[in-house]
């Protein structure tokens, strides 16, 4: 496994609850791993403009966003 860096972040309660709900359904994955994988997929797959839009997004002012993430078939282990 790669060397991981430990940092402290603040996550809003709605997002954290959604992550915890995911972890309850997939009990073999820990919260830290889920967060790290989601962040890795986002920064690897999205271009700068999309990342910027994601940073600007807030539930208070925007409708629910839509997104797609696909792992190409030739990249499956």
């Amino acid at each position: 496994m790669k060397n991981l860096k430990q940092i402290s972040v603040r996550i809003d309660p709605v997002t954290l609850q959604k992550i915890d709900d995911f972890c309850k359904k997939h009990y073999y994955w820990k919260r830290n791993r889920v967060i790290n994988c989601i962040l890795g997929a986002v920064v690897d797959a999205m271009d700068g403009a999309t990342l910027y839009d994601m940073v600007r997004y807030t539930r208070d002012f925007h409708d629910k966003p839509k997104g797609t993430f696909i792992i190409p078939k030739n990249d499956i282990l």
Side-chain angles (χ1 to χ4, degrees):
M1 178 179 267
K2 298 177 186 176
N3 289 333
L4 300 178
K5 304 292 183 185
Q6 183 172 343
I7 64 168
S8 175
V9 298
R10 295 179 187 271
I11 299 176
D12 70 82
V14 173
T15 300
L16 187 58
Q17 185 61 55
K18 289 181 179 193
I19 292 168
D20 286 343
D21 291 344
F22 177 89
C23 291
K24 286 177 189 172
K25 292 177 187 170
H26 305 278
Y27 62 89
Y28 43 88
W29 285 0
K30 302 296 181 202
R31 181 195 291 165
N32 184 65
R33 176 73 174 150
V34 171
I35 293 169
N36 189 52
C37 286
I38 290 170
L39 288 173
V42 168
V43 299
D44 288 350
M46 304 301 163
D47 62 25
T50 303
L51 286 172
Y52 183 75
D53 286 344
M54 291 174 139
V55 172
R56 291 182 26 221
Y57 168 75
T58 178
R59 289 181 183 98
D60 298 332
F61 299 108
H62 300 97
D63 292 334
K64 187 172 181 178
K66 297 184 186 223
T68 302
F69 178 78
I70 299 168
I71 298 175
K73 291 184 182 196
N74 60 351
D75 288 350
I76 296 177
L77 299 174

